[in-house]
Amino acid sequence: MKSLREFELIVRAADAGSLSAAARQLDLTPAAASAALKRIEAEIGTPIFVRSTRSLRTTPAGDIFLRHCREGLQHIGTAFDEIRTKSERIQ
């Protein structure tokens, strides 16, 4: 199972157009971010991003994966918010 941090890496890399920028935002080294991306792509069996020396853009498979990453992170954030709200009322 992949960690939320890896899904955040994908979303932030797509938003920034840069894996290095995403790594900085998540306090990762560029090497660690690159290794995480390679693991995900190996597991999926296809590249998520087309990389160049100056930019990063999603592949068609990456578009699909990115959409699901965004939705998943949004659902998890909503769950945290709902639980916090209910916990505050109980206390």
Side-chain angles (χ1 to χ4, degrees), residues 4 7 71-81:
L4 292 178
F7 297 132
E71 289 172 359
L73 289 169
Q74 183 179 7
H75 287 301
I76 290 166
T78 300
F80 274 91
D81 292 344

Side-chain angles (χ1 to χ4, degrees), residues 8-29:
E8 280 188 58
L9 175 66
I10 299 300
V11 170
R12 289 179 188 229
D15 289 347
S18 165
L19 190 59
S20 294
R24 282 190 299 275
Q25 291 172 11
L26 295 170
D27 293 322
L28 295 171
T29 64

